[in-house]
């Protein structure tokens, strides 16, 4: 199971770029990864609309090292776990991605013990896992730390369990997976309800697991003891990719870019901020299509704050910040969730963005700025794609290094931009 992703590590972009046409949004990374992990509960699992991106490929390599038979054709993935074992688990690969932590629910159920490298922080900040640890313990697993390793062992209990997920996305998903396949009622308070979490909820419901989700972020799960032998489902389209193309269209469309499978419903708050900022677009709810028009002359400064769903997604903070460099007057960004997620602004300042970083969570963006070419390094996945967008509106030739970050989360992004008429040279 191999795929070549990092065939390049630098991009070069020229100004000006006028984009038009249709872009099809791919499956969501953050929905696909927990669903793939959930697939390990079944003997046979089929998952459709899986994006062919770096993080998925790395996760599948890890899963192959468990002896799982992995077949990934087009965007359909099948797993056969008949010969699964933890003996040869590739822990070096697990260090590469944070989502190794998704392996705990299914592997603990099957093997009653699992040791993985501790998922420390990353470029966007400290990434605590206390909610995961408290959750695993509440289900009866015993936690042991040894150096840089995280170990759980034992059997899950069948008590009624009440836990808090602190609105954390991956922690909620892990708790859901354990709760789904044990008898006993689980109540998750402060559950995350991001669209990708709900993708997992809907899949589990399709297996007759009763899950109620209430407006106060409480989930009640009445699990089933034994998972069925086979299961099949689909990954939802990626609202983060859709929002990214909306920004790209607002800055470069000539006259318009049509975004298909846009997940309009998941983007409500983001779309209202875009309107407030003067972005011109039409929504077709029936076909789930957004048509975005060039909005460079109508952009206005706005203040925004990232939040848990349905608030403004932190994963769209960087592209929206770029949009605001082209708006008249001063905008304020308040990144609530991650303390280093504004650090990329230091890198992008090389392109003559006029920014003031007030503290780790707040920055001012002074518009309107004529961005200037530079060589910039991709800071993380979302900042990396924003650097592509910035290069498309910056005068002169922009070079972006470390672009392997971008391949981790956006399926065929360069091909999609090229189809819209964008010119990006791969070095
Ligand atoms: N938090 C805790 N304790 C925990 C877990 C999280 O305090 O045990 C805090 C974090 O410090 C942070 C907040 O809760 O302030 C949100 O963290 P969360 O756990 O929700 O993040 P995550 O589950 O690690 C997922 C996405 C991220 C996305 C965040 C927020 C996946 C695989 N990752 O991360 O996606 O930014 O939720 O929506 O779903 C990306 O795709 O680029 C990305 C980073």
């Amino acid at each position: 199971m191999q795929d070549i992703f990092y065939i390049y590590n630098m991009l070069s972009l020229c100004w000006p770029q006028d984009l038009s046409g249709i872009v099809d949004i791919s499956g969501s990374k953050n929905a696909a990864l927990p669903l793939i992990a959930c697939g390990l509960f079944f003997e046979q699992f089929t998952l459709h609309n899986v994006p062919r991106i770096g993080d998925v490929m790395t996760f599948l390599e890890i899963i192959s090292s468990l002896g799982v038979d992995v077949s990934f054709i087009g965007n359909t993935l099948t797993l056969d776990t008949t010969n699964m074992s933890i003996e040869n688990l590739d822990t070096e690969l697990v260090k590469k991605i944070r989502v190794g932590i998704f392996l705990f629910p299914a592997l603990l159920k099957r093997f009653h013990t699992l040791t993985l490298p501790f998922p420390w922080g990353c470029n966007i900040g400290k990434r605590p896992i206390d909610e995961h640890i408290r959750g695993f313990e509440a289900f009866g697993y015993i936690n042991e730390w040894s150096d840089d390793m995280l170990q759980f062992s034992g059997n899950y209990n069948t008590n009624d369990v009440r836990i808090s997920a602190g609105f954390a996305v991956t922690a909620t998903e892990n708790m859901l997976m354990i709760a789904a396949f044990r008898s006993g009622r689980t109540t998750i308070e402060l559950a995350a309800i991001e669209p990708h979490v709900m993708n997992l909820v809907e899949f589990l419901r399709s297996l007759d697991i009763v899950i109620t989700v209430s407006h106060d972020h409480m989930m009640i799960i009445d699990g089933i003891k034994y998972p069925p032998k086979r299961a099949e489902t689909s990954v939802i389209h990626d609202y983060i990719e859709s929002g990214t193309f909306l920004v790209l269209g607002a800055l470069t469309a000539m006259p318009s870019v049509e975004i298909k499978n846009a997940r309009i419903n998941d983007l409500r708050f983001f779309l209202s901020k875009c309107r407030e900022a003067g972005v011109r677009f039409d929504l077709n709810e029936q076909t789930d299509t957004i048509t975005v028009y060039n909005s460079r002359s109508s952009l206005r400064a706005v203040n925004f704050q990232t939040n848990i769903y349905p608030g403004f997604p932190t994963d769209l903070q960087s592209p929206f910040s770029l949009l605001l460099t082209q708006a008249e007057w001063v905008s304020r960004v308040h990144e609530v969730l991650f303390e280093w997620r504004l650090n990329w602004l230091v890198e992008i300042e090389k392109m003559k963005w006029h920014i003031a970083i007030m503290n780790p969570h707040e920055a001012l963006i002074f518009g309107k700025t004529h961005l200037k070419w530079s060589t910039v390094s991709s800071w993380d996945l979302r900042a990396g794609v924003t650097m592509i967008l910035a290069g498309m509106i910056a005068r002169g030739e922009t070079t972006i290094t470390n672009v392997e970050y971008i391949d981790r989360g956006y399926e065929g992004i360069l091909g999609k931009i090229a189809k819209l008429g964008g010119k990006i040279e791969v070095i």
Side-chain angles (χ1 to χ4, degrees):
M1 220 280 326
Q2 280 228 319
D3 218 311
I4 299 168
F5 262 86
Y6 310 130
I7 48 173
Y8 54 86
N9 67 1
M10 262 204 268
L11 301 176
S12 159
L13 295 88
C14 279
W15 175 86
Q17 306 246 8
D18 295 335
L19 268 53
S20 68
I22 298 174
V23 60
D24 258 307
I25 299 304
S26 296
S28 152
K29 164 178 87 73
N30 290 344
L33 293 166
L35 284 170
I36 293 171
C38 196
L40 300 179
F41 278 100
F42 315 100
E43 276 179 31
Q44 312 272 340
F45 179 62
T46 304
L47 188 60
H48 302 282
N49 200 33
V50 182
R52 299 188 74 89
I53 53 177
D55 273 12
V56 165
M57 292 303 175
T58 308
F59 199 40
L60 291 179
E61 264 189 75
I62 294 168
I63 285 175
S64 295
S65 77
L66 291 167
V68 174
D69 189 7
V70 176
S71 147
F72 193 12
I73 299 168
N75 292 103
T76 297
L77 171 72
T78 50
L79 304 180
D80 181 333
T81 68
T82 319
N83 298 317
M84 186 162 76
S85 127
I86 51 174
E87 258 168 50
N88 298 318
L89 172 61
D90 189 338
T91 47
E92 282 308 305
L93 266 183
V94 176
K95 284 185 193 160
K96 280 181 147 191
I97 49 172
R98 297 185 45 76
V99 293
I101 201 158
F102 281 143
L103 294 173
F104 279 109
L107 297 188
L108 280 177
K109 184 169 169 86
R110 176 91 76 106
F111 303 106
H112 312 287
T113 184
L114 184 65
T115 308
L116 293 179
F118 197 95
W120 299 111
C122 67
N123 274 5
I124 63 173
K126 192 168 168 296
R127 307 284 295 270
I129 56 158
D130 50 306
E131 304 291 358
H132 296 253
I133 293 174
R134 267 197 294 276
F136 292 141
E137 286 174 343
F139 286 114
Y141 291 113
I142 296 155
N143 174 18
E144 276 172 58
W145 295 51
S146 58
D147 298 331
D148 270 2
M149 303 304 270
L150 179 64
Q151 186 187 67
F152 284 93
S153 52
N155 286 308
Y156 62 82
N157 56 38
T158 51
N159 310 342
D160 285 356
V161 165
R162 198 175 185 94
I163 36 177
S164 161
F167 300 116
V169 170
T170 49
T172 303
E173 290 160 338
N174 263 344
M175 298 312 110
L176 267 168
M177 285 190 250
I178 300 177
F181 303 114
R182 64 168 208 124
S183 41
R185 168 168 287 195
T186 307
T187 304
I188 309 178
E189 291 173 339
L190 308 187
I193 53 163
E194 268 68 5
H196 28 290
V197 181
M198 294 310 293
N199 198 178
L200 179 63
V201 167
E202 292 305 338
F203 165 55
L204 295 173
R205 281 177 173 157
S206 75
L207 304 176
D208 292 335
I209 295 159
V210 180
I211 306 177
T212 55
V213 181
S214 46
H215 67 276
D216 56 353
H217 289 256
M218 187 187 283
M219 288 187 188
I220 299 175
I221 303 116
D222 287 306
I224 51 175
K225 194 164 177 194
Y226 298 109
K229 285 199 171 358
R230 289 165 198 277
E232 180 165 356
T233 192
S234 275
V235 177
I236 57 168
H237 295 278
D238 187 355
Y239 70 120
I240 302 299
E241 187 193 354
S242 173
T244 306
F245 272 99
L246 187 80
V247 169
L248 180 62
L251 294 174
T252 61
M254 202 51 79
S256 65
V257 168
E258 218 174 290
I259 305 167
K260 292 227 175 274
N261 298 312
R263 301 286 302 180
I264 293 171
N265 263 328
D266 298 338
L267 283 169
R268 293 279 166 208
F269 193 75
F270 174 75
L271 291 175
S272 72
K273 270 291 158 192
C274 285
R275 272 209 206 287
E276 192 187 326
V279 176
R280 297 182 305 120
F281 58 89
D282 293 325
L283 303 180
N284 184 333
E285 313 241 0
Q286 261 159 6
T287 58
D288 198 21
T289 302
I290 304 175
T291 306
V292 55
Y293 306 95
N294 193 307
S295 313
R296 296 278 296 265
S297 57
S298 59
L299 293 176
R300 299 179 287 269
V302 295
N303 297 336
F304 76 103
Q305 174 177 325
T306 62
N307 217 326
I308 56 169
Y309 187 82
F312 193 104
T314 171
D315 295 341
L316 282 172
Q317 175 256 108
S318 52
F320 195 71
S321 299
L322 167 69
L323 184 89
L324 296 177
T325 64
Q326 303 308 302
E328 291 294 348
W329 203 231
V330 184
S331 301
R332 186 171 139 259
V333 184
H334 186 181
E335 167 56 58
V336 176
L337 298 180
F338 296 110
E339 61 274 12
W340 297 339
R341 224 175 194 179
L342 293 179
N343 282 8
W344 69 286
L345 292 172
V346 175
E347 181 69 19
I348 205 90
E349 215 169 11
K350 293 179 188 163
M351 296 175 85
K352 303 280 179 280
W353 286 40
H354 296 166
I355 311 156
I357 301 179
M358 316 297 287
N359 60 56
H361 289 277
E362 283 173 292
L364 299 178
I365 296 176
F366 302 91
K368 184 182 238 182
T369 316
H370 291 300
L371 301 187
K372 189 176 162 287
W373 65 272
S374 185
T375 296
V376 284
S377 171
S378 196
W379 179 259
D380 69 51
L381 166 62
R382 307 301 173 187
V385 83
T386 302
M387 289 180 186
I388 295 187
L389 272 50
M392 299 194 75
I393 59 166
R395 291 180 189 209
E397 192 174 313
T398 300
T399 303
I400 306 171
T401 60
N402 276 344
V403 291
E404 61 271 16
Y405 270 120
I406 303 165
D407 278 326
R408 288 179 64 164
Y410 294 89
E411 185 181 56
I413 183 98
L414 300 185
K416 287 181 184 183
I417 294 176
K419 202 174 144 224
L420 295 173
K423 293 167 212 75
I424 302 178
E425 195 192 331
V426 172
I427 305 174

